[in-house]
Amino acid sequence: MKTTLLSLFCAATSALPSPLTQQNAIPPFFLLAGDSTTATQSSGGGGWGDGFINTTLYSGAKGLNYGHDGATTVSFRSGGDWATVLSKVEEYKTDYRAFVTIQFGHNDQKASANISVAEYTSNLERFATEVKNAGGTPILVTPLSRRNYDNSTGTPLVIEDLADQRVATIAAANNTDTAYIDLNQASTEYLNSIGPVDAYTYNLVPDDYTHLNVEGSQVFGGLVAALIDRDFDELKSDGYVEVNATLLTALEEGKYFWP
Ligand SMILES: *[C@@H]1O[C@H](CO)[C@@H](O)[C@H](O)[C@H]1NC(C)=O
Ligand SMILES: *[C@@H]1O[C@H](CO)[C@@H](O)[C@H](O)[C@H]1NC(C)=O
Ligand SMILES: *[C@@H]1O[C@H](CO)[C@@H](O)[C@H](O)[C@H]1NC(C)=O
Ligand SMILES: *[C@@H]1O[C@H](CO)[C@@H](O)[C@H](O)[C@H]1NC(C)=O
Ligand SMILES: *[C@@H]1O[C@H](CO)[C@@H](O)[C@H](O)[C@H]1NC(C)=O
């Protein structure tokens, strides 16, 4: 069952008004808040963040990755990471348009975290509101899919174990009038389309089906960029956020890509 991702890039997921056009000459600065599926590649984690920063930002656009291995919406605040992100919004907002991507869920969902879906939702809402109050633009990001497959139907399909967190993230965006990108749906559809054997080539180490190696970071960082470009089309037209054309075609057609 091959699916096409084209619909993900055409259908509107956000009914927000267009961002202010008079700011278009100012490049964006992306501050990435999240857990290990956003974080820099290390022995303990690695997500899409560095691939996004390294390979999709042009014309003076910049980014910093504050993804923290093991983080929840609670620990990211209590451990001081969130205060750092907000201070960076203040620091960069005069010379850049400060965007904060906010992606959690992989650790919040663990029973040991003792964070209900309702708390997770309100924690995301509070993050989004605080970014706006600091003068930045929040983008809520539904959590990157894990690469665990259920083969029982004969067609390997990703186990959608972050479905509740996906819906909660979209609800948090709805409730606070915040932009969101549906990375969970887009990554699930891409992984279903390419299948497990190719999907595992993006594993940080062979048996790590959650974290990404450098190539996986560039593929899913490109997917994040494509989704952001769809909602903030001036970032694309002004040449700030660009996805490698071959990768973009592969993502749209659900075909395997190796950087
Ligand atoms: C990002 O760039 C740094 C510096 O060149 C490099 O060490 C790292 O491997 C790159 N990571 C990704 C995911 O592209
Ligand atoms: C889990 O959180 C609830 C609500 O905050 C609290 O009442 C309860 O004591 C917590 N449970 C554990 C095991 O920490
Ligand atoms: C599904 O198939 C893939 C590819 O053959 C395999 O690596 C994986 O272990 C299978 N998953 C389960 C849950 O059996
Ligand atoms: C978000 O709002 C849209 C449009 O009003 C609605 O269709 C969707 O069901 C809402 N989603 C959630 C998770 O609340
Ligand atoms: C896109 O990526 C492919 C594979 O890494 C590379 O060969 C190609 O040069 C890239 N294209 C551009 C325009 O950077």
Side-chain angles (χ1 to χ4, degrees):
M1 187 180 77
K2 292 289 177 197
T3 53
T4 170
L5 296 191
L6 200 55
S7 58
L8 291 174
F9 295 91
C10 300
T13 57
S14 163
L16 293 172
S18 303
L20 300 173
T21 48
Q22 64 265 34
Q23 291 182 325
N24 286 3
I26 304 177
F29 202 117
F30 289 93
L31 302 160
L32 312 185
D35 58 27
S36 60
T37 63
T38 298
T40 295
Q41 276 58 41
S42 72
S43 58
W48 55 265
D50 279 22
F52 171 81
I53 292 170
N54 281 2
T55 67
T56 75
L57 302 182
Y58 295 91
S59 308
K62 293 202 170 80
L64 285 171
N65 191 349
Y66 289 98
H68 190 143
D69 295 354
T72 66
T73 55
V74 172
S75 73
F76 200 80
R77 181 183 293 280
S78 64
D81 295 302
W82 184 245
T84 303
V85 169
L86 288 182
S87 76
K88 293 293 173 186
V89 172
E90 297 284 354
E91 182 178 338
Y92 294 123
K93 71 182 181 188
T94 46
D95 293 332
Y96 298 89
R97 291 177 67 190
F99 288 89
V100 180
T101 65
I102 301 165
Q103 188 221 260
F104 291 91
H106 294 82
N107 302 308
D108 290 74
Q109 77 172 177
K110 292 174 183 164
S112 56
N114 192 29
I115 299 168
S116 68
V117 172
E119 286 173 85
Y120 168 75
T121 309
S122 66
N123 291 345
L124 292 175
E125 290 172 0
R126 194 175 160 203
F127 284 150
T129 300
E130 288 173 351
V131 171
K132 291 178 195 173
N133 291 344
T137 302
I139 302 175
L140 286 165
V141 181
T142 65
L144 178 73
S145 177
R146 294 187 177 91
R147 294 174 300 287
N148 295 312
Y149 287 81
D150 172 7
N151 303 323
S152 62
T153 64
T155 303
L157 291 174
V158 159
I159 297 167
E160 297 184 25
D161 58 2
L162 289 152
D164 292 348
Q165 287 68 32
R166 169 181 178 265
V167 170
T169 303
I170 296 170
N174 275 6
N175 295 341
T176 55
D177 254 332
T178 298
Y180 74 91
I181 58 170
D182 197 352
L183 178 61
N184 183 260
Q185 184 185 9
S187 58
T188 296
E189 293 197 13
Y190 184 66
L191 292 167
N192 282 342
S193 188
I194 65 173
V197 174
D198 285 339
Y200 297 163
T201 65
Y202 302 132
N203 291 0
L204 180 70
V205 292
D207 64 349
D208 184 338
Y209 303 98
T210 300
H211 303 115
L212 298 168
N213 55 20
V214 165
E215 290 80 6
S217 183
Q218 295 181 359
V219 169
F220 291 95
L223 180 55
V224 168
L227 294 169
I228 289 176
D229 274 346
R230 199 194 51 202
D231 275 3
F232 296 88
D233 57 315
E234 79 285 0
L235 291 176
K236 183 180 185 187
S237 56
D238 291 346
Y240 292 130
V241 181
E242 291 183 12
V243 184
N244 173 303
T246 315
L247 171 58
L248 186 60
T249 300
L251 292 170
E252 287 172 347
E253 295 180 351
K255 302 262 171 59
Y256 178 60
F257 177 89
W258 185 254

